[in-house]
Amino acid sequence: MTGPSPQSIHDYARVAQQRLHADIWVYLADGDSAANRNALADVHVIPRPLQNVKGGNTRLTMFGQELEHPILLAPIAYQRLFQTDGECASAMAASAQGTQIIVSSLASQPFNEITKAADQPGCGKPWFQLYWQGDRKKTLSLLHRALDAGLSTIMFTVDAPVKVASLQLPQHIQAVNLESSDAPVSSTSMVFDGWMAQAPTWDDLDWLRAQTNLPLLVKGLLHPDDASRAAESGCDGIVVSNHGGRVLKNAIPSLLALEQIATRIAGRIPVLFDSGIRSGQDVYAALAFGANAVLLGRPYIWGLAAEGALGVARVIRLLRDELEMTMALTGCARLTDINRECVVRILSSVHQNDQIV
Amino acid sequence: MTGPSPQSIHDYARVAQQRLHADIWVYLADGDSAANRNALADVHVIPRPLQNVKGGNTRLTMFGQELEHPILLAPIAYQRLFQTDGECASAMAASAQGTQIIVSSLASQPFNEITKAADQPGCGKPWFQLYWQGDRKKTLSLLHRALDAGLSTIMFTVDAPVKVASLQLPQHIQAVNLESSDAPVSSTSMVFDGWMAQAPTWDDLDWLRAQTNLPLLVKGLLHPDDASRAAESGCDGIVVSNHGGRVLKNAIPSLLALEQIATRIAGRIPVLFDSGIRSGQDVYAALAFGANAVLLGRPYIWGLAAEGALGVARVIRLLRDELEMTMALTGCARLTDINRECVVRILSSVHQNDQIV
Amino acid sequence: MTGPSPQSIHDYARVAQQRLHADIWVYLADGDSAANRNALADVHVIPRPLQNVKGGNTRLTMFGQELEHPILLAPIAYQRLFQTDGECASAMAASAQGTQIIVSSLASQPFNEITKAADQPGCGKPWFQLYWQGDRKKTLSLLHRALDAGLSTIMFTVDAPVKVASLQLPQHIQAVNLESSDAPVSSTSMVFDGWMAQAPTWDDLDWLRAQTNLPLLVKGLLHPDDASRAAESGCDGIVVSNHGGRVLKNAIPSLLALEQIATRIAGRIPVLFDSGIRSGQDVYAALAFGANAVLLGRPYIWGLAAEGALGVARVIRLLRDELEMTMALTGCARLTDINRECVVRILSSVHQNDQIV
Amino acid sequence: MTGPSPQSIHDYARVAQQRLHADIWVYLADGDSAANRNALADVHVIPRPLQNVKGGNTRLTMFGQELEHPILLAPIAYQRLFQTDGECASAMAASAQGTQIIVSSLASQPFNEITKAADQPGCGKPWFQLYWQGDRKKTLSLLHRALDAGLSTIMFTVDAPVKVASLQLPQHIQAVNLESSDAPVSSTSMVFDGWMAQAPTWDDLDWLRAQTNLPLLVKGLLHPDDASRAAESGCDGIVVSNHGGRVLKNAIPSLLALEQIATRIAGRIPVLFDSGIRSGQDVYAALAFGANAVLLGRPYIWGLAAEGALGVARVIRLLRDELEMTMALTGCARLTDINRECVVRILSSVHQNDQIV
């Protein structure tokens, strides 16, 4: 690339679109939910000048790991679709930026190579995103392979049982960490008798909880009752997510679910937020509504496609800088200073008379 | 057609527009109400993963008929305008997909040919949509012709007394089941002394109820008082509908009327919903707001125009698949699991301080 | 014109735009308020089929005159700008359609010619719109000229003291009924010391009331306190109007003012509505919000420009037909059956926490 | 310029864009907040005709100065970027129009030349906008230079500690009133340890208050608690501002903050309003929500770029005329007649359930 380096998230998106094959760009953009992004854009902050925020920072500790900031890299499948170095580049950038990647069950590179790329002094192990593999035995087998390869902190994704990749993968890109028999069953039957017969249930979650002492998070909850039940099942954290809008196009925007869930969880376990994050202001908004940290999705893939590991690192840094600036100007020296009173919602759409519970 | 088969409702709309004469496309699209569709699009679902929905299904029983799913084909006039096989193709597709068509009084093919096309093992008889014929005698005569031809379950449409076809019908397409004297009176006088003098009243409904023991539904009610009165008049069901926006462009969106009507009816008789359904998500939304089933309108005509009976069948299947996926992901194994708590309205327009009654 | 005759209001607008010089079209369109029209478009009706509305009609009596329907022609200046026959054509069309025109103080044709054009069997006299002429003597002189020429029912416009025509009038078009000294003073000074020094006050209204026993309406009120005061001053009617948005671009939409004013007036005197009427549905909406009749503005000028008197008559008829259809389908046989319960507002913008008083 | 002189604010914007280098236009437009402008556009006035407003005016007294109207010129940096005569032209126009400019710390012309340009009979001294210079000594030194050069009334801007000019300044344009050591520190470190370590705190404000008996205003407050604290610190006025949206793109719109702040301050000290003013109607809206006066920003720079001092004067006059007309038509003869009851908010976005405090 001979032009100037991208300066903003939007620059990265533009460059990524130029570099990627149209099919792959469409696959990446698929389902991107305007409702998710609008809900975040409705959140406005109230500047608080003249506060003393010298020495402020964005650090936090999660599941025993020290993170420089609350922006993790969401599990995204088949990253070699976007750049030759794939998940390794993303993992390296996450480490360099003081955070973690959650490695997808559908990673296109071996788990041990990814953990090796992420291995930097003072950094904990990357996290592992677990998809249910149709039954307990296969699921446990996959989990053990991931843990053996050095991944830790398990994020169990429960919201996408009916989604199979709409893209025909190139031959050289595969889910290399799955047994061949682990490949998604091509079901020609119906939703209920096909996909859902392979989907995990609350019983399966209880079983999974019993298999490991490692931190276990559940990703894809949007109802406070479900969040509560996950906490009672002994899960160590939950991720409020609608899968970035990819699964159900009319799912409730994640931010609207977050507030009620955070209120219900009331600090018992960490609540993470996923879906629609595009800026440090969005990170701030999610934290104000009760999240402890967020997962960044498509934007880091834009960085990956545009500039490899360097692009991922720069995208993370851009969001962190925006988060710091927003904190500084609203008088927040610590993440824990960010709360609901720091923001107002100026609604372009109204969500009223609709308590979920 | 040499291109690939349409994959989505929107593909069918596009192909239909290409195939139809511009006048006919305009006639079909006339009055399509953005307000109807926006009200449905405002409805968002709350995913409920980890529920056990294995063996779920979309079956229901209505008026003694077993239906595979709650998507019926709305009565649409003159279907030979859209495809040579006309109503027969639609009826055949409905049967094949485990549902029923409501045959219009203004069908362009003989009733007995339509019932024959719909005659598949295990399928009940197609329903009949009855327009008032200006007086009781003519109306009864038309009804008897329809019943004699094998139609059953009468849907009496009461909301379009002032609508005459804006299209000049081609000579070979006619309302073949009407007596020539049944043709709409060409009134040059006013609304009140012309059209409305031919319109049915509540007295006429009471009379009609007394003429038959067959199931009788009233289609076109939007006020809870009217729904209540229909139930008290002994009707077996009502259809909340604003005629897809064709009659009064500023009629209340059907979905907003549905909730109050369903609350008022409180399960005494089935409530069907019509106007604006474009996806399985929309079907789910209508059921969440209290409908027992829905009528699909323009989309199946797109399928008819694009691919005949096959296109109609595929459009129905597309919506059913979307409905199943939405149910599965929201933890609903049965239609009766879908209720108001499954959804939130995120309003792009606000409907407040306006209780209808 | 060799093409087909316009079929809708929008056709008339299009033809008018083609026929008029661009400057004149801009002058006519100036200030057309989207807020006015949006407020009307937010009003949705609730159809009530099966009501017996045979023999319904739109007749009313106002100030001793029998009108066929509640659509009057608003006072619009200099109508010869739009068509050679000017006010005479409009007046003739109003008579033919069973209604009245309110002749502007700035009419471009002599009052007596206009009254003559309007003189049809069974028709009352056209109304007269009075602009304040800077002082009482000149104002009274103008009023007497108008009454002497056969006009009656005085509509005193009070909302446009600062508006002078932005258009350079062609030499042959003038306010022929004003004395030359009546021409608007070209003030180079400020608003307060120029225009407002010439504006009428409540005292002037009291004085005017004392000059005549003819029906006297005040046009341009938007605050319920002002409406109340006008009623207490002995006025016979008021016109809720923001001058179609021409005077203050951020004036409250007339419809939002109407409801509170009608509630306050509570039937003591007729309340007319002006600003933004574009369809019979809009007329219905205004009546539902408490108006007794409406003034139609720009649309009849479109008819005038397109087809002269015939065009004006056809525009009136189009709106009346739409009004009748809306009434018939909502179960209203008389204008007095139209009330607030017949409609719901589905707000695209929200007007809350803002009681005017 | 050979074309006609600009007639409206929008004309000035257009001409300015033509005349300015693209980089400079972008720098000027940067961050212009639609949310600020939309909040103002939502405010609608209720016309009150027939009021006697003869002899009305827009005069006010602030901090001992007589102003012809409440429209001051906001502090804008480096005005020679836009026109050779820079701040001197703006100051001259302000004087000629009976108002004041607030001279920026980053003015591109010497303070004494600016005060000289503003020196007209009967006019008070221009105001001075003070940026914190990293420590108390440097800040006091800058303040004394400004006061020595004849500026008075100090407006201390506290909301932009992290903003450095994004534009590479041409060599001949500098902040000529700063000591070379006063130039912003080029920090390569983070927000908290770089910019914020240089930012003033409430303690610094208390110190500054003790250094001078001149009127001292704080600019950039948006939270009622902060406004209250500034009043209690002995400040003479506050300016509600989000820096025109330049600092934080998702800051609360200034108008929404204004209402709560004005209520809290309750007249103890003047409250000025800044951000988004584009018309006299906007000035009226700000006053109705509790402001005593407003700062005009970008629009006067458009005038400066288009026509120099004349352009600035004409822009001010345009807004004043619009303000007068709005006052006259709403029955307000004095600025103090404008209050919250004069307006309604018709929200295109809803700001509910969100009391800041």
Side-chain angles (χ1 to χ4, degrees):
Chain A
M1 188 172 59
T2 57
S5 181
Q7 298 298 316
S8 74
I9 290 290
H10 302 295
D11 287 346
Y12 279 103
R14 200 162 39 239
V15 174
Q17 185 168 14
Q18 287 162 4
R19 297 204 155 197
L20 294 175
H21 188 282
D23 285 351
I24 293 176
W25 175 257
V26 166
Y27 162 75
L28 178 63
D30 179 38
D32 190 4
S33 159
N36 274 336
R37 286 179 284 110
N38 290 343
L40 287 160
D42 284 345
V43 180
H44 289 239
V45 302
I46 309 168
R48 302 297 302 265
L50 295 172
Q51 300 290 327
N52 191 338
V53 293
K54 285 157 196 163
N57 66 68
T58 58
R59 287 196 284 274
L60 75 163
T61 301
M62 289 205 97
F63 310 118
Q65 294 185 335
E66 307 279 330
L67 304 177
E68 288 295 316
H69 55 82
I71 307 166
L72 295 106
L73 300 192
I76 293 184
Y78 306 116
Q79 297 193 12
R80 290 187 62 220
L81 284 173
F82 311 110
Q83 215 264 357
T84 319
D85 297 333
E87 288 82 2
C88 289
S90 299
M92 184 183 307
S95 284
Q97 289 293 326
T99 187
Q100 292 295 354
I101 187 172
I102 300 103
V103 178
S104 172
S105 283
L106 299 173
S108 57
Q109 292 178 304
F111 291 145
N112 61 345
E113 294 187 17
I114 301 171
T115 51
K116 198 167 150 191
D119 189 17
Q120 304 207 354
C123 272
K125 297 175 175 182
W127 300 11
F128 174 57
Q129 179 258 351
L130 177 66
Y131 270 128
W132 192 249
Q133 297 298 308
D135 65 34
R136 293 180 179 183
K137 183 167 162 242
K138 287 182 189 161
T139 303
L140 194 59
S141 163
L142 172 61
L143 177 59
H144 283 156
R145 279 199 302 285
L147 301 181
D148 291 348
L151 298 175
S152 80
T153 307
I154 304 155
M155 187 177 284
F156 181 39
T157 300
V158 298
D159 64 356
V162 304
K163 189 75 181 181
V164 289
S166 60
L167 187 76
Q168 177 71 38
L169 291 177
Q171 214 168 1
H172 65 289
I173 297 183
Q174 303 171 40
V176 297
N177 299 292
L178 302 188
E179 295 177 33
S180 61
S181 63
D182 293 347
V185 174
S186 166
S187 169
T188 58
S189 74
M190 282 170 288
V191 169
F192 290 110
D193 301 320
W195 287 317
M196 296 313 288
Q198 309 263 338
T201 64
W202 286 105
D203 285 345
D204 295 321
L205 177 64
D206 291 336
W207 165 85
L208 179 62
R209 172 68 291 182
Q211 305 307 307
T212 177
N213 290 320
L214 287 173
L216 174 65
L217 295 88
V218 183
K219 175 167 179 278
L221 302 183
L222 290 160
H223 196 291
D225 287 352
D226 291 345
S228 217
R229 179 158 175 183
E232 287 151 18
S233 297
C235 292
D236 301 291
I238 60 172
V239 186
V240 176
S241 170
N242 63 16
H243 220 96
R246 292 176 84 89
V247 178
L248 264 183
K249 67 183 173 184
N250 66 333
I252 183 175
S254 296
L255 190 74
L256 301 186
L258 172 62
E259 189 167 19
Q260 294 190 51
I261 286 178
T263 301
R264 183 76 75 83
I265 291 298
R268 283 177 284 161
I269 54 174
V271 175
L272 284 75
F273 176 81
D274 171 86
S275 302
I277 295 287
R278 295 289 179 273
S279 69
Q281 285 86 349
D282 290 343
V283 179
Y284 185 100
L287 269 56
F289 275 72
N292 296 82
V294 307
L295 310 192
L296 182 67
R298 292 176 181 93
Y300 85 83
I301 299 297
W302 300 337
L304 179 65
E307 296 185 333
L310 176 64
V312 176
R314 294 189 63 199
V315 164
I316 297 171
R317 184 77 215 185
L318 274 170
L319 269 79
R320 177 183 169 174
D321 285 346
E322 291 172 336
L323 172 62
E324 286 192 358
M325 190 175 298
T326 308
M327 288 173 65
L329 294 173
T330 58
C332 296
R334 298 285 178 277
L335 293 181
T336 48
D337 294 337
I338 304 172
N339 61 47
R340 188 63 182 79
E341 309 229 316
C342 297
V343 296
V344 287
R345 280 177 70 204
I346 301 175
L347 303 180
S348 53
S349 60
V350 183
H351 172 250
Q352 64 178 17
N353 297 331
D354 264 313
Q355 294 302 317
I356 293 181
V357 286
Chain B
M1 188 172 56
T2 56
S5 181
Q7 297 298 317
S8 75
I9 291 290
H10 302 295
D11 286 346
Y12 278 103
R14 199 162 40 239
V15 174
Q17 185 168 12
Q18 287 162 3
R19 298 204 156 197
L20 294 175
H21 188 284
D23 285 353
I24 294 177
W25 176 256
V26 166
Y27 163 75
L28 177 63
D30 179 39
D32 190 4
S33 160
N36 274 337
R37 285 179 285 112
N38 290 343
L40 287 161
D42 284 345
V43 180
H44 289 239
V45 302
I46 308 169
R48 302 297 302 266
L50 295 172
Q51 300 289 328
N52 191 337
V53 294
K54 285 158 197 163
N57 66 68
T58 59
R59 287 196 284 274
L60 75 163
T61 301
M62 289 204 97
F63 310 119
Q65 294 186 336
E66 307 278 332
L67 303 177
E68 288 295 317
H69 55 82
I71 307 166
L72 295 105
L73 300 192
I76 294 184
Y78 306 118
Q79 296 194 12
R80 288 188 64 221
L81 284 173
F82 310 109
Q83 216 264 357
T84 319
D85 296 333
E87 289 81 3
C88 289
S90 299
M92 184 183 306
S95 284
Q97 288 293 327
T99 187
Q100 292 295 353
I101 187 172
I102 300 102
V103 179
S104 171
S105 282
L106 299 173
S108 57
Q109 292 178 303
F111 292 144
N112 61 346
E113 294 187 16
I114 301 171
T115 50
K116 197 167 152 193
D119 188 17
Q120 303 208 354
C123 273
K125 296 175 175 182
W127 301 11
F128 175 57
Q129 179 257 355
L130 176 67
Y131 270 127
W132 192 249
Q133 298 299 307
D135 66 33
R136 294 179 178 184
K137 184 167 162 240
K138 287 181 189 162
T139 303
L140 195 59
S141 162
L142 172 60
L143 177 60
H144 284 156
R145 280 200 302 286
L147 301 180
D148 291 348
L151 298 175
S152 79
T153 307
I154 304 155
M155 187 178 285
F156 181 38
T157 300
V158 297
D159 64 357
V162 304
K163 190 74 183 181
V164 289
S166 60
L167 188 77
Q168 179 69 38
L169 291 177
Q171 215 167 2
H172 65 288
I173 296 182
Q174 303 170 42
V176 296
N177 300 293
L178 303 188
E179 295 178 31
S180 61
S181 64
D182 293 346
V185 174
S186 166
S187 168
T188 58
S189 75
M190 284 170 288
V191 170
F192 290 110
D193 301 320
W195 287 317
M196 295 313 289
Q198 308 263 339
T201 64
W202 287 105
D203 286 346
D204 295 321
L205 176 65
D206 291 337
W207 165 84
L208 179 62
R209 172 68 290 183
Q211 305 308 306
T212 176
N213 289 320
L214 286 173
L216 174 65
L217 295 88
V218 183
K219 175 167 179 280
L221 302 184
L222 291 160
H223 195 291
D225 287 353
D226 291 346
S228 218
R229 179 157 176 184
E232 286 152 18
S233 297
C235 292
D236 301 291
I238 60 171
V239 186
V240 176
S241 169
N242 63 17
H243 220 95
R246 293 177 83 90
V247 176
L248 264 182
K249 66 182 173 185
N250 65 335
I252 184 175
S254 297
L255 190 74
L256 301 186
L258 172 61
E259 189 166 19
Q260 293 189 52
I261 287 179
T263 301
R264 183 75 77 83
I265 291 297
R268 283 177 284 163
I269 54 174
V271 175
L272 283 75
F273 176 81
D274 171 86
S275 301
I277 295 286
R278 295 289 179 274
S279 69
Q281 284 86 348
D282 290 343
V283 178
Y284 186 100
L287 269 56
F289 275 72
N292 296 82
V294 307
L295 309 191
L296 182 67
R298 292 174 181 95
Y300 87 82
I301 299 297
W302 300 336
L304 179 64
E307 296 185 332
L310 176 64
V312 176
R314 293 189 63 200
V315 164
I316 297 171
R317 184 75 214 187
L318 274 170
L319 270 79
R320 177 183 170 176
D321 285 346
E322 292 172 336
L323 172 62
E324 287 193 356
M325 191 176 299
T326 308
M327 288 174 65
L329 294 173
T330 57
C332 297
R334 299 284 178 278
L335 294 181
T336 48
D337 294 337
I338 304 172
N339 62 47
R340 189 61 182 79
E341 310 228 315
C342 297
V343 296
V344 288
R345 280 177 70 204
I346 300 175
L347 302 180
S348 53
S349 60
V350 183
H351 171 251
Q352 64 178 17
N353 297 330
D354 265 312
Q355 295 301 319
I356 293 181
V357 286
Chain C
M1 189 172 59
T2 55
S5 182
Q7 297 299 316
S8 74
I9 290 290
H10 302 294
D11 287 345
Y12 278 103
R14 198 162 40 239
V15 174
Q17 184 168 13
Q18 288 162 2
R19 298 204 157 197
L20 294 175
H21 188 282
D23 285 353
I24 293 176
W25 176 257
V26 166
Y27 162 76
L28 178 63
D30 178 39
D32 190 4
S33 160
N36 274 337
R37 286 179 284 110
N38 290 343
L40 287 160
D42 285 344
V43 180
H44 288 240
V45 302
I46 309 169
R48 303 295 303 267
L50 296 171
Q51 300 290 327
N52 190 338
V53 293
K54 285 159 196 162
N57 66 68
T58 59
R59 287 196 284 274
L60 75 163
T61 302
M62 289 205 97
F63 310 118
Q65 293 186 337
E66 307 277 333
L67 304 178
E68 288 294 317
H69 55 83
I71 307 166
L72 295 105
L73 300 192
I76 293 184
Y78 306 118
Q79 296 195 13
R80 289 188 62 221
L81 283 173
F82 311 108
Q83 215 265 357
T84 318
D85 297 333
E87 288 82 2
C88 289
S90 299
M92 183 183 306
S95 284
Q97 289 293 328
T99 187
Q100 291 296 353
I101 187 172
I102 300 103
V103 178
S104 172
S105 283
L106 299 173
S108 58
Q109 292 179 305
F111 291 145
N112 61 347
E113 294 188 17
I114 301 170
T115 50
K116 197 166 152 193
D119 189 18
Q120 303 208 353
C123 272
K125 296 177 175 182
W127 300 11
F128 175 57
Q129 179 257 354
L130 177 66
Y131 269 127
W132 192 250
Q133 297 298 307
D135 66 32
R136 293 179 179 186
K137 183 167 164 238
K138 287 182 188 161
T139 303
L140 195 59
S141 163
L142 173 60
L143 176 60
H144 284 157
R145 282 199 301 286
L147 301 180
D148 291 350
L151 298 175
S152 79
T153 307
I154 304 155
M155 186 177 287
F156 182 37
T157 300
V158 298
D159 63 357
V162 304
K163 190 75 185 179
V164 289
S166 59
L167 188 76
Q168 178 70 39
L169 291 177
Q171 214 168 3
H172 65 287
I173 297 182
Q174 302 170 42
V176 297
N177 299 292
L178 302 189
E179 295 177 32
S180 61
S181 64
D182 293 346
V185 174
S186 167
S187 167
T188 59
S189 75
M190 281 170 289
V191 170
F192 290 110
D193 301 320
W195 287 318
M196 295 313 289
Q198 307 263 338
T201 64
W202 287 106
D203 285 347
D204 295 321
L205 177 65
D206 291 337
W207 164 85
L208 180 62
R209 171 69 291 181
Q211 304 308 306
T212 176
N213 290 320
L214 286 174
L216 174 65
L217 295 88
V218 183
K219 175 167 178 281
L221 302 183
L222 291 160
H223 196 292
D225 286 352
D226 291 346
S228 217
R229 179 157 174 183
E232 286 150 19
S233 296
C235 291
D236 302 291
I238 60 171
V239 186
V240 176
S241 170
N242 63 16
H243 220 97
R246 293 178 83 90
V247 177
L248 264 182
K249 66 182 171 183
N250 65 335
I252 183 175
S254 296
L255 190 74
L256 301 186
L258 172 62
E259 189 166 19
Q260 293 190 52
I261 287 179
T263 301
R264 182 77 75 82
I265 291 297
R268 283 178 284 162
I269 55 174
V271 175
L272 283 74
F273 176 82
D274 172 85
S275 303
I277 295 286
R278 295 289 178 273
S279 69
Q281 284 86 349
D282 290 343
V283 178
Y284 186 100
L287 269 56
F289 274 73
N292 296 82
V294 307
L295 309 192
L296 183 67
R298 292 175 182 94
Y300 86 83
I301 299 297
W302 300 337
L304 179 65
E307 297 185 332
L310 176 63
V312 176
R314 293 189 63 201
V315 164
I316 297 171
R317 185 74 215 186
L318 274 170
L319 269 78
R320 176 184 172 174
D321 285 346
E322 290 172 336
L323 172 62
E324 288 193 356
M325 190 175 300
T326 309
M327 290 174 65
L329 294 174
T330 57
C332 297
R334 298 285 179 276
L335 293 181
T336 48
D337 294 337
I338 304 173
N339 62 47
R340 188 61 182 80
E341 311 229 315
C342 297
V343 296
V344 287
R345 281 177 69 204
I346 300 175
L347 302 181
S348 53
S349 60
V350 182
H351 172 251
Q352 65 178 14
N353 298 330
D354 266 310
Q355 295 300 319
I356 293 180
V357 288
Chain D
M1 188 172 60
T2 56
S5 180
Q7 298 298 317
S8 74
I9 291 288
H10 302 295
D11 287 346
Y12 278 103
R14 199 163 38 240
V15 174
Q17 184 167 14
Q18 288 162 3
R19 297 204 156 197
L20 293 175
H21 189 283
D23 284 352
I24 293 176
W25 176 256
V26 166
Y27 163 75
L28 178 62
D30 179 38
D32 190 5
S33 159
N36 274 337
R37 286 179 283 109
N38 290 344
L40 286 160
D42 285 344
V43 180
H44 289 239
V45 302
I46 309 168
R48 303 295 303 264
L50 295 172
Q51 300 290 327
N52 190 338
V53 293
K54 284 157 197 163
N57 66 67
T58 58
R59 286 197 284 275
L60 76 163
T61 301
M62 290 205 96
F63 310 118
Q65 293 186 337
E66 306 278 333
L67 304 176
E68 288 294 317
H69 55 82
I71 307 166
L72 295 105
L73 300 192
I76 293 184
Y78 306 117
Q79 297 194 12
R80 289 187 62 222
L81 284 173
F82 310 110
Q83 215 264 356
T84 318
D85 297 332
E87 288 82 2
C88 289
S90 299
M92 183 183 305
S95 285
Q97 288 294 327
T99 187
Q100 291 295 354
I101 188 173
I102 300 104
V103 178
S104 171
S105 282
L106 299 174
S108 58
Q109 292 179 306
F111 291 146
N112 63 346
E113 293 188 17
I114 302 171
T115 51
K116 197 166 154 193
D119 188 18
Q120 303 209 353
C123 272
K125 295 176 176 182
W127 301 12
F128 175 57
Q129 179 258 352
L130 176 66
Y131 269 128
W132 193 249
Q133 297 299 307
D135 65 32
R136 292 179 179 184
K137 185 169 162 237
K138 287 181 188 161
T139 302
L140 194 59
S141 163
L142 173 60
L143 177 61
H144 284 158
R145 281 200 301 286
L147 301 180
D148 291 349
L151 299 175
S152 80
T153 307
I154 303 155
M155 186 177 287
F156 181 37
T157 300
V158 297
D159 63 356
V162 303
K163 190 75 182 181
V164 291
S166 60
L167 189 76
Q168 178 70 38
L169 291 177
Q171 215 169 3
H172 65 287
I173 296 183
Q174 303 170 40
V176 297
N177 299 293
L178 302 189
E179 295 177 33
S180 61
S181 64
D182 293 347
V185 173
S186 165
S187 167
T188 59
S189 75
M190 281 171 287
V191 170
F192 289 110
D193 300 320
W195 287 317
M196 295 313 289
Q198 308 263 341
T201 64
W202 286 105
D203 285 347
D204 295 321
L205 177 65
D206 291 337
W207 165 85
L208 179 63
R209 171 69 292 182
Q211 305 307 306
T212 177
N213 289 319
L214 287 173
L216 174 65
L217 295 87
V218 183
K219 175 166 178 279
L221 302 184
L222 291 161
H223 196 292
D225 286 353
D226 291 345
S228 218
R229 180 158 173 182
E232 286 151 19
S233 297
C235 291
D236 301 291
I238 61 172
V239 185
V240 176
S241 170
N242 63 15
H243 220 97
R246 291 177 84 88
V247 177
L248 264 182
K249 66 183 173 184
N250 65 333
I252 183 175
S254 296
L255 190 75
L256 301 187
L258 173 61
E259 189 166 20
Q260 293 190 50
I261 287 179
T263 301
R264 183 77 75 82
I265 291 298
R268 283 178 283 162
I269 54 174
V271 175
L272 283 75
F273 176 81
D274 171 86
S275 302
I277 295 287
R278 295 288 179 275
S279 69
Q281 285 86 349
D282 290 343
V283 179
Y284 186 100
L287 270 57
F289 275 73
N292 296 82
V294 306
L295 309 192
L296 183 66
R298 293 176 180 93
Y300 86 83
I301 299 297
W302 300 337
L304 178 65
E307 296 185 333
L310 176 64
V312 176
R314 294 188 63 200
V315 164
I316 297 170
R317 185 75 215 184
L318 274 170
L319 269 78
R320 177 184 171 173
D321 284 348
E322 290 171 338
L323 172 62
E324 287 193 357
M325 190 176 298
T326 309
M327 288 174 65
L329 295 173
T330 57
C332 296
R334 298 287 179 276
L335 294 180
T336 48
D337 294 338
I338 304 173
N339 61 48
R340 187 63 182 78
E341 311 228 316
C342 297
V343 297
V344 288
R345 281 177 70 205
I346 301 175
L347 302 180
S348 54
S349 60
V350 183
H351 172 250
Q352 65 178 15
N353 297 330
D354 265 312
Q355 294 301 318
I356 293 180
V357 288

